[in-house]
Amino acid sequence: MDRLNELWPELWKAALETLYMTTFALVLGGILGLAIGVILYVTRPGGLAQNKPVALIANLGVNFFRPIPFVLFVAVAQPFARVVVGTGIGTTAGAFMIALAAAFAIGRIVEQHLVSVPPGVIEAARAMGAGPWRILFTVAIPESLGPLILGYTFIVVALIDMTAMAGLIGGGGLGAFAQIYGFRQFEPVVMWTAIVLIVVFVHLVQMLGTRLARKVMRR
């Protein structure tokens, strides 16, 4: 317990690093993932703007990058991170690589939820003269907004898990704190305190996401 008292400043710093990396990755990865998901949805066979070559390339990209374990993805994306954020190590570099890795998973989630919109709703919009992009932004996305919020909420859990592995490149965060000051120094109290904080973060995000999704779906 004395050791934990000594580490309070480091613990809160690690908590802020986790929040920063998760928020950064969720915003950037969420935007990129939404774009990927929309491309997959509109270009698929029978889609709003069917395009076989684009759909093939998009699916190959997602299917290639999505299965790569994050610990290996870091090695692949580190040179790209150096170009974009100016460094391949640290919190911002870690958040950037988490965002890239998450974007492919988010893209597939977005596609799946958009595909779940009843075809009759899409056909009704077409019959009223709506074009592909109008259908996408005024029908497909609004109709699937509740499930999309739940999907993004689920992704947050994976993002927090990735922040722990970002410690391999000096990313910091609660995961790295638990490993360095808890597990490696045989301090179970320190380790479990960090774990409890991570669980609290996940629970709060899940609760907020679920409430928001319910509110949207009740409209």
Side-chain angles (χ1 to χ4, degrees), residues 33-99:
L34 179 62
I36 293 170
V38 166
I39 291 170
L40 290 169
Y41 171 68
V42 300
T43 61
R44 66 195 302 271
L48 298 174
Q50 180 176 323
N51 189 312
K52 289 184 179 180
V54 173
L56 178 62
I57 292 170
N59 275 288
L60 284 175
V62 171
N63 292 338
F64 179 82
F65 286 105
R66 192 167 62 121
I68 300 176
F70 183 67
V71 68
L72 299 179
F73 188 87
V74 167
V76 174
Q78 204 167 29
F80 187 50
R82 289 194 189 99
V83 174
V84 177
V85 301
T87 178
I89 60 174
T91 306
T92 300
F96 178 75
M97 286 183 270
I98 291 169

